[in-house]
Amino acid sequence: MLSRFIVALFILFAAPLRAEVAIQEVTSEQGIGAWLVEEHSIPFVALEIHFEGGSALDAPGKRGAINLMTALIEEGSGDMDAQTFQTARESLAASFSFRVYDDGMSVSARFLTENRDAAVALLRQALISPRFDQDAIDRVRGQVLTAIAAEEKNPNRIAGRAFYSAAFGDHPYGSSQNGTVESVNALTRDDMVAAHAATLVRSRAKVSAVGDISAAELSLIVDQLLGDLPAEGPDLPARVEFGLEAGVTVVGYDIPQSVVLFGHSGMTRDDPDFFAAYILNTILGGVGPRSVLMEELREKRGLTYGIYTYLVPRDHTEMVLGSFASSNDRVAEAVSLARSEWERIATDGVTQEQLDEAKTYLTGEYPLRFDGNADIAGIMVGMQVQGLPTDYVVNRNDYINAVTLDEINRVAAYLLKPDELHFTVVGRPVGLE
Amino acid sequence: MFRTFALTLAAMAAVGPAVAQEVTTFDLDNGMDVVVIEDHRAPVVVHMLWYRAGSADEPPGQSGVAHFLEHLLFKATDTMAAGELSQVVAANGGSDNAFTSYDYTAYYQRVAADRLDLMMRMEADRMNNLRLTPEDIDTERRVILEERNQRTENDPNALAREQIRAALYMNHRYGVPIIGWKHEMEDLSQEDARDFYDLYYSPNNAILVVAGDVEPEAVLALAREHYGPIPAEPDLPERFRPKEPPQLAERRLTFVDPRVSQAYVTRSYLAPERDAGAQDEAAALVYLAELLGGSSFTSALGKALQFDTQTAVFSGAGYDPMSLDTSSFYVSVAPAAGVSLSEAEAAMDQVIADFIANPIDEAQMERVRTQLRASETYALDNVEGIANRYGAALTQGLTVEDVQAWPAILQAVTADQIKAVAARVLDRRQSVTAWVVATEAEAK
């Protein structure tokens, strides 16, 4: 049977490059949307599926359930136990990866044209009918407990745990998605079945594919993979405000170099000022042209190997974050400098030269991202998650170029809040408490 | 000299799809090698300059100087200010970085293909015209010490790896960390960096790899213009590497660090690397690593220790075929709760003994073969990865022909070859066994 599908074409001619990314919008027989870029020169397909929701959907008292469930998808399904399933996958040289984070769960697959039908059938089986055998649950539970033990000794994870638990409390954002030893040990097979039904939800799926496949073929595959999943899921988690007040928290740990995570509340992705904020972050502590913080801390003073800042618009809150690491005896100077630069940019703003430099970088770098099937598939799913249209790829550089100096400095004055910065420091910092 | 290879078509006919990435090589009069890889799917180019000089080429007592110099190459030249190169790359929408290994140091930029001329001009400039200042040395030395803190001192597993390598290589510089021993890094001077630069940063010690939407003739013309005028270094030494003596005694160590969250046992063996015209043993070792500990579901260690018994929470094996001199092969087991390290090690040894005593599982071997063949198809999607293959190969004693022959050599590996190389390499006299634990009490 031929499925009907609708195709819309958008071509990215991103100056100064001749980049051409022809995005087709495909709608399957069952009404599931997918984005496609056909690229027939190499005989394989990269497929990306994203389910909105993620580990923040963990039911009360069941922290870690969705993480464990995600790890079990590749551990047996249909009439195959874990080893039979993996033997079949390896025979096809297909790769499937299942990852979960607070706001979503992703499936990244790649498979050869020569055995595409068999690979898709295997992936369908994993998504639709995972077995959750008790021996697999116990084996993978052991691996998760190892990961939890590692979190307790990894300085970056210790910093994250202290920072996020203080900022978000009982909201899922306030704890590790791995769960605790107690919560993970208490998880049952029924919890896995419930976590699966809550997370792999058809109406929350975004799909993209890049490679040696046609729109008609993709349309059939989308229904095959997702058509038999539950249509709806439980309510998404509630919104939560960033609740950490200004200050410094030191978590004592015997390491020679202190690890620092800092930040305050931020901006939503759909804010009209988002592009100005995005450029501001690039100038302050992003990648690309040497950032203000990198210049002051690393290049001028050798205080750190690297300092970076991030706009973090999550689904249910938003933050501006930064991170770096400095020797215990120099970290106090680094913290003080990061705070004073934050204040300087908030007060004085950036210069026209800095703005121009960042724009040139961001607009030039954008087309270079569309390099490789899996990369393009990932970008296209990300755009769908953010609710962007396919022609965003054509217009995106115009949005960047439209930001003026007045605008970016108006945004700097309210987005950067030096008086609200909280620094969480793990180590044995000298002169900080 | 100008040679064109209709790439891989020979190899690909047997092992993969008929997608030709044209590879063209030539060399300049000053001895510089040039490799051009065409991939016209996107208007992007990767410009890489690889030097045949890495940490294992450093003078004694100056560990880390190769990597330190890599950092310093982003400082001023006679005509460019410190940081200007990266600034220009970014202003052109590109990204740039560099990396140092035991056998090479490499610099790269990824930009729109029409900016290649500019990239070459700047990269050629810093091959010869670096201008270091005492301030640069002091500040950047702090940066590399913070880098060592971040990568190594703050990570007990990284510290353990250093101790293991130092024990594995009794005479070769592969036993010294790339980033350097901390006490030697603290003493690195401007003169140390300058000497390394003057000796090794020259066209007759460099390989230019350009990959992406480019035409070979145009690349050749640009290379002649920018790199051609730089004189060859007449005193470039033969690469001298101390050889390992016969290793006659197994070494064992226990690394104790309270920051270790999961105890494990890991054993590293000396192992042969890919050599020009002689890659069969290395190819067999790639299979050995996969069959012993590649997939946690289907490999010998995974099946025996994670499925047939619940001895291990993780297990694995690994091997890096790319190395100028003798490489290494490892097996590791992290015991499950309630299993001691000595029990885990005994179980690991039993798996190895069984593997050597029994015939190779032909079905499993075919699955490995299939996946290696497919990986060549998937690799075509990443031109930067292909560029890395050539740069690494040409700095590690291999030729373009060796790179192109490798996929077919992998496909031709037989069970007998694997058995033979297993018997030769899995010799505990040429190995280090390490227990990595949080407390002495765990070391039992």
Side-chain angles (χ1 to χ4, degrees):
Chain A
M1 189 184 74
L2 219 115
S3 70
R4 71 194 149 78
F5 55 90
I6 306 154
V7 174
L9 266 183
F10 290 93
I11 300 190
L12 166 67
F13 289 107
L17 289 188
R18 291 167 281 127
E20 292 179 25
V21 178
I23 301 177
Q24 304 175 52
E25 280 189 89
V26 178
T27 304
S28 74
E29 178 96 346
Q30 294 195 36
I32 304 170
W35 290 13
L36 167 67
V37 171
E38 289 188 52
E39 164 56 63
H40 296 285
S41 68
I42 307 175
F44 83 99
V45 173
L47 177 76
E48 191 75 25
I49 304 170
H50 180 275
F51 295 97
E52 202 184 356
S55 62
L57 286 167
D58 270 337
K62 304 289 184 189
R63 194 62 170 145
I66 289 171
N67 176 64
L68 182 59
M69 179 279 294
T70 303
L72 285 164
I73 291 178
E74 61 170 9
E75 294 265 349
S77 47
D79 60 358
M80 299 179 179
D81 66 12
Q83 287 176 294
T84 310
F85 177 84
Q86 294 293 344
T87 301
R89 184 192 59 75
E90 290 169 14
S91 304
L92 299 170
S95 75
F96 307 143
S97 108
F98 308 95
R99 278 178 302 242
V100 70
Y101 58 103
D102 279 341
D103 289 337
M105 185 212 151
S106 70
V107 180
S108 306
R110 65 178 187 192
F111 36 80
L112 301 171
T113 301
E114 67 188 48
N115 55 29
R116 184 204 296 152
D117 291 350
V120 169
L122 203 58
L123 180 58
R124 170 193 155 83
Q125 178 186 295
L127 294 175
I128 303 286
S129 50
R131 286 157 61 111
F132 302 125
D133 290 333
Q134 192 60 46
D135 63 334
I137 293 175
D138 293 337
R139 186 176 57 253
V140 178
R141 192 200 316 269
Q143 295 167 0
V144 171
L145 291 172
T146 303
I148 292 171
E151 284 182 344
E152 285 165 10
K153 293 197 172 182
N154 178 309
N156 293 303
R157 302 304 293 265
I158 294 170
R161 202 169 44 175
F163 188 90
Y164 296 122
S165 67
F168 300 115
D170 292 338
H171 190 279
Y173 285 172
S175 61
S176 164
Q177 66 173 7
N178 285 331
T180 64
V181 172
E182 295 70 32
S183 72
V184 169
N185 273 325
L187 293 172
T188 65
R189 185 176 186 280
D190 286 348
D191 294 328
M192 297 299 98
V193 173
H196 180 258
T199 311
L200 282 81
V201 169
R202 197 170 69 217
S203 60
R204 290 181 179 159
K206 311 290 185 195
V207 183
S208 70
V210 180
D212 186 21
I213 188 169
S214 70
E217 290 164 333
L218 176 62
S219 173
L220 290 171
I221 284 175
V222 167
D223 280 346
Q224 196 183 349
L225 291 176
L226 304 176
D228 289 335
L229 289 173
E232 302 294 337
D235 289 345
L236 293 174
R239 181 173 166 77
V240 61
E241 299 304 323
F242 183 85
L244 188 50
E245 293 181 355
V248 176
T249 302
V250 173
V251 183
Y253 192 45
D254 285 328
I255 41 176
Q257 185 189 52
S258 292
V259 168
V260 183
L261 176 63
F262 65 104
H264 55 48
S265 60
M267 177 185 281
T268 59
R269 177 63 183 76
D270 57 5
D271 193 295
D273 284 340
F274 189 82
F275 281 98
Y278 185 71
I279 301 173
L280 176 67
N281 180 65
T282 301
I283 295 169
L284 176 66
V287 294
R290 183 180 296 163
S291 69
V292 166
L293 289 171
M294 203 70 147
E295 177 72 21
E296 294 299 323
L297 271 74
R298 174 176 157 151
E299 298 304 326
K300 287 191 184 163
R301 297 175 182 83
L303 286 169
T304 184
Y305 177 49
I307 176 166
Y308 296 96
T309 60
Y310 320 87
L311 294 184
V312 186
R314 300 264 196 102
D315 284 359
H316 317 296
T317 196
E318 48 284 325
M319 295 173 274
V320 183
L321 297 179
S323 66
F324 64 93
S326 293
S327 297
N328 287 333
D329 59 345
R330 307 185 73 207
V331 66
E333 182 188 353
V335 165
S336 154
L337 198 58
R339 191 190 276 117
S340 62
E341 286 304 306
W342 209 269
E343 180 155 16
R344 187 174 66 80
I345 299 293
T347 311
D348 301 347
V350 303
T351 65
Q352 185 67 50
E353 192 189 351
Q354 286 173 315
L355 175 59
D356 292 344
E357 194 178 51
K359 280 183 181 176
T360 324
Y361 168 71
L362 291 170
T363 54
E365 169 267 352
Y366 186 65
L368 302 191
R369 294 184 195 175
F370 294 78
D371 174 41
N373 292 358
D375 292 339
I376 298 171
I379 291 170
M380 291 199 299
V381 149
M383 288 168 60
Q384 293 176 69
V385 170
Q386 291 170 8
L388 301 170
T390 48
D391 64 358
Y392 174 80
V393 295
V394 184
N395 299 324
R396 185 269 194 187
N397 279 354
D398 293 339
Y399 302 139
I400 294 283
N401 281 325
V403 173
T404 66
L405 188 63
D406 284 349
E407 242 177 305
I408 191 170
N409 286 335
R410 175 179 58 76
V411 171
Y414 78 84
L415 181 64
L416 301 180
K417 293 165 280 211
D419 297 340
E420 295 184 20
L421 275 177
H422 191 98
F423 291 79
T424 296
V425 183
V426 177
R428 296 287 175 208
V430 177
L432 279 180
E433 50 191 271
Chain B
M1 205 172 93
F2 197 96
R3 290 175 291 166
T4 298
F5 294 86
L7 164 48
T8 7
L9 281 180
M12 285 291 178
V15 304
V19 177
Q21 265 169 338
E22 199 83 16
V23 175
T24 308
T25 67
F26 44 85
D27 37 64
L28 303 183
D29 292 341
N30 57 15
M32 187 159 154
D33 295 324
V34 183
V35 179
V36 182
I37 303 156
E38 290 175 71
D39 180 343
H40 299 287
R41 290 184 302 155
V44 178
V45 68
V46 178
H47 171 250
M48 312 186 92
L49 194 64
W50 295 67
Y51 292 99
R52 291 185 183 90
S55 66
D57 298 297
E58 294 162 345
Q62 296 179 19
S63 64
V65 73
H67 170 254
F68 188 33
L69 179 61
E70 176 222 298
H71 277 235
L72 294 170
L73 245 72
F74 292 85
K75 300 299 184 188
T77 69
D78 293 342
T79 52
M80 296 191 79
E84 189 178 341
L85 183 145
S86 296
Q87 220 169 359
V88 171
V89 174
N92 282 276
S95 57
D96 74 320
N97 215 325
F99 46 90
T100 307
S101 187
Y102 297 104
D103 297 325
Y104 51 76
T105 310
Y107 300 82
Y108 71 90
Q109 301 88 30
R110 190 167 168 277
V111 284
D114 58 3
R115 316 295 160 89
L116 180 60
D117 180 35
L118 179 59
M119 298 303 118
M120 271 201 204
R121 184 173 68 68
M122 296 192 297
E123 195 63 76
D125 174 48
R126 67 174 166 177
M127 183 188 287
N128 225 20
N129 302 319
L130 193 62
R131 191 199 286 165
L132 296 174
T133 69
E135 295 73 36
D136 289 339
I137 296 292
D138 288 344
T139 311
E140 206 58 33
R141 194 169 40 223
R142 287 191 186 133
V143 171
I144 58 169
L145 284 164
E146 291 292 1
E147 182 178 355
R148 183 182 159 88
N149 276 337
Q150 191 168 323
R151 290 184 190 278
T152 310
E153 305 286 346
N154 262 17
D155 179 355
N157 299 310
L159 286 170
R161 281 193 295 274
E162 279 190 351
Q163 298 294 311
I164 292 165
R165 281 191 77 94
L168 181 63
Y169 291 98
M170 304 191 319
N171 199 41
H172 194 284
R173 284 283 298 207
Y174 287 165
V176 177
I178 296 165
I179 198 163
W181 296 118
K182 189 177 176 193
H183 66 284
E184 293 186 352
M185 294 167 71
E186 285 166 343
D187 287 339
L188 288 175
S189 69
Q190 183 168 336
E191 192 188 359
D192 298 338
R194 187 83 222 178
D195 288 348
F196 199 83
Y197 177 70
D198 286 343
L199 189 57
Y200 289 118
Y201 280 50
S202 54
N204 48 330
N205 200 37
I207 295 134
L208 174 68
V209 182
V210 177
D213 190 16
V214 290
E215 300 298 334
E217 292 78 8
V219 174
L220 173 59
L222 288 174
R224 281 191 176 134
E225 178 187 344
H226 294 297
Y227 293 107
I230 304 173
E233 166 61 57
D235 297 326
L236 182 70
E238 284 287 306
R239 275 184 120 171
F240 174 76
R241 298 286 183 79
K243 298 271 183 297
E244 280 298 305
Q247 295 203 347
L248 306 177
E250 168 183 15
R251 277 133 286 152
R252 301 187 65 87
L253 59 92
T254 301
F255 181 82
V256 186
D257 188 316
R259 300 172 297 171
V260 172
S261 65
Q262 164 71 51
Y264 56 95
V265 52
T266 180
R267 185 180 300 141
S268 300
Y269 303 87
L270 291 182
E273 73 288 357
R274 287 169 63 182
D275 284 324
Q279 305 187 85
D280 292 4
E281 265 199 323
L285 281 165
V286 169
Y287 279 74
L288 180 62
E290 288 298 319
L291 293 171
L292 258 185
S295 158
S296 62
F297 299 93
T298 60
S299 69
L301 282 167
K303 275 199 287 197
L305 304 186
Q306 293 178 247
F307 283 86
D308 296 349
T309 67
Q310 272 66 58
T311 307
V313 64
F314 295 111
S315 64
Y319 163 65
D320 185 358
M322 291 299 297
S323 186
L324 180 59
D325 301 313
T326 302
S327 187
S328 64
F329 183 101
Y330 76 86
V331 285
S332 298
V333 174
V339 177
S340 72
L341 277 174
S342 46
E343 288 165 341
E345 186 179 341
M348 180 178 93
D349 281 326
Q350 189 59 51
V351 172
I352 293 171
D354 290 347
F355 184 90
I356 288 175
N358 295 313
I360 286 184
D361 177 347
E362 288 287 346
Q364 180 68 2
M365 191 169 155
E366 281 314 305
R367 281 191 289 277
V368 173
R369 203 189 303 277
T370 299
Q371 291 179 82
L372 288 168
R373 179 172 62 82
S375 72
E376 288 302 310
T377 300
Y378 296 134
L380 293 172
D381 195 32
N382 179 3
V383 69
E384 196 170 329
I386 302 279
N388 277 326
R389 284 185 186 183
Y390 284 93
L394 269 58
T395 50
Q396 293 182 308
L398 299 175
T399 64
V400 169
E401 291 85 345
D402 292 318
V403 175
Q404 301 189 346
W406 177 244
I409 291 171
L410 279 173
Q411 286 303 299
V413 167
T414 66
D416 286 347
Q417 285 177 309
I418 299 168
K419 296 289 278 189
V421 82
R424 185 158 102 71
V425 169
L426 302 177
D427 173 353
R428 287 175 61 163
R429 292 174 304 168
Q430 303 184 41
S431 79
V432 176
T433 305
W435 288 8
V436 180
V437 291
T439 62
E440 292 283 358
E442 278 186 312
K444 63 178 182 0

